[in-house]
Amino acid sequence: MILWGLNVVAVKFLVEHVPPIAMQSMRIFIAGMAAIIVLYFLRDLRKLTKQEWAYITFAALLGQLGHHALLAVGIMETTASNASLILGLIPLTTVILTMIFFKERLTWLRSLGITLGFVGVTIVVVQGNGSVAGISRGDLFVFISMVLQALSFIVIKKVTATLSSKQMTAVILLLGSLFLFSASLLFEPQGYSQLQEGTAFVWSIIVISAVLATGLGHIFYNAAIQEIGAGQTAIFNNLVPFFSLIGAFFFLGEQILFTQVIGFILIVTGVILGTGYMDMKRKDRQGNKKLQETKKHHSA
């Protein structure tokens, strides 16, 4: 979560020095290569089926081309703080899409959480603009990129039923980098020549961001899911906006506004309620209580 939070700050820094889509394609390519190398030594690679390739291609179009391209372009016109708080809605948006596509039940706690989360983001994006109609184009692009990332997670859920999540991550990154490369050639004809002119410091940030945050970060996250489960792991996503806010303050000199703090609290509360974490904990407590009552009854 520290790596992912600071990565938003790194992307904000990079788009101010090099073409955004070209930078993202190079960053994602390096991340994919790093992930493939790790998996090679872990012996966690196999040939993919046609159906797996279809799902992965669709997920790469949504989560790599759509998400990373719009995020890079959008963050040029908004702050790293705002971008990180908007991206904090990914868990809630994924829940909403899961309910739509997989017909999951909507409890009152989840409804309250979803409402609080989106109210929090609304407070963040309208601050300084005065009304919803005045939302900046950068905030809008980041919001759309967030929705596309959530959609890609729905597709990923399908493919991980048969494929290792680690291999899926590596392949999606590599395939996504090719899509971003093509988009850069189309929208940034001079993008790669300008990227080559980047300073040694800029390139070091690209490599560090790619290898640590995007490549190994996803592998660490997938490993965490295997150890403590998806529900417990998802709760830690709430720390990403926090570390982004702190990083933007120290490294970019951005102010932490009161409205952002309020928005952050609402988003975190919304994610905890909206993702079903509190429902799960309540069921666990009820189950434990019934188990204890049963044991007391048998012992009596």
Side-chain angles (χ1 to χ4, degrees):
M1 297 307 106
I2 294 173
L3 291 172
W4 283 357
L6 294 180
N7 192 49
V8 177
V9 179
V11 171
K12 173 63 176 178
F13 167 80
L14 290 170
V15 297
E16 293 177 350
H17 293 81
V18 288
I21 302 177
M23 177 275 296
Q24 287 286 61
S25 72
M26 183 58 65
R27 198 176 64 81
I28 301 303
F29 175 75
I30 295 171
M33 289 303 298
I36 285 288
I37 291 169
V38 169
L39 295 182
Y40 175 79
F41 286 106
L42 291 177
R43 299 184 183 279
D44 193 9
L45 292 172
R46 69 163 173 82
K47 186 177 180 181
L48 305 183
T49 66
K50 289 182 179 179
Q51 186 180 49
E52 288 168 345
W53 272 117
Y55 280 131
I56 283 179
T57 300
F58 191 35
L61 285 169
L62 292 170
Q64 301 303 314
L65 175 60
H67 170 70
H68 285 291
L70 284 174
L71 173 61
V73 172
I75 208 171
M76 294 176 71
E77 300 183 37
T78 188
T79 63
S81 303
N82 270 23
S84 67
L85 290 168
I86 295 169
L87 293 175
L89 276 183
I90 287 177
L92 279 184
T93 307
T94 305
V95 165
I96 294 170
L97 293 172
T98 301
M99 290 174 182
I100 294 172
F101 291 111
F102 299 105
K103 312 249 187 266
E104 286 195 4
R105 191 167 62 92
L106 180 63
T107 65
W108 72 269
L109 275 177
R110 281 188 157 193
S111 300
L112 176 61
I114 290 168
T115 302
L116 288 175
F118 279 93
V119 167
V121 165
T122 301
I123 289 173
V124 170
V125 298
V126 302
Q127 56 90 16
N129 296 312
S131 68
V132 175
I135 293 174
S136 75
R137 191 173 69 162
D139 287 332
L140 180 61
F141 282 173
V142 174
F143 184 84
I144 296 171
S145 82
M146 177 276 296
V147 174
L148 292 176
Q149 181 77 300
L151 276 169
S152 76
F153 289 160
I154 300 299
V155 180
I156 284 170
K157 186 176 180 180
K158 284 279 190 182
V159 74
T160 49
T162 59
L163 181 64
S164 156
S165 61
K166 298 183 186 71
Q167 181 175 353
M168 174 213 63
T169 300
V171 176
I172 282 180
L173 288 172
L174 286 176
L175 193 57
S177 71
L178 294 178
F179 291 148
L180 286 164
F181 173 78
S182 301
S184 178
L185 293 179
L186 181 62
F187 296 108
E188 302 168 343
Q190 305 300 319
Y192 283 94
S193 61
Q194 294 174 22
L195 187 62
Q196 291 173 10
E197 296 171 1
T199 64
F201 183 71
V202 166
W203 273 98
S204 67
I205 297 297
I206 290 175
V207 173
I208 291 171
S209 167
V211 175
L212 293 184
T214 306
L216 297 183
H218 281 88
I219 290 177
F220 292 156
Y221 188 79
N222 291 331
I225 289 175
Q226 291 180 337
E227 291 292 328
I228 64 175
Q232 292 276 63
T233 307
I235 297 304
F236 283 89
N237 276 295
N238 293 305
L239 294 174
V240 174
F242 172 75
F243 288 119
S244 293
L245 285 172
I246 300 300
F249 176 78
F250 282 106
F251 296 112
L252 300 177
E254 292 184 4
Q255 284 185 307
I256 299 178
L257 305 175
F258 179 71
T259 50
Q260 291 175 329
V261 174
I262 296 299
F264 171 72
I265 292 171
L266 288 173
I267 292 167
V268 169
T269 305
V271 170
I272 291 174
L273 296 175
T275 54
Y277 179 77
M278 293 304 295
D279 283 330
M280 181 182 66
K281 286 297 181 183
R282 189 175 62 174
K283 286 180 182 178
D284 287 344
R285 282 197 299 270
Q286 291 174 347
N288 290 333
K289 187 177 180 181
K290 287 182 181 178
L291 184 61
Q292 289 174 358
E293 290 175 352
T294 303
K295 285 182 179 179
K296 285 180 181 178
H297 177 74
H298 284 303
S299 62

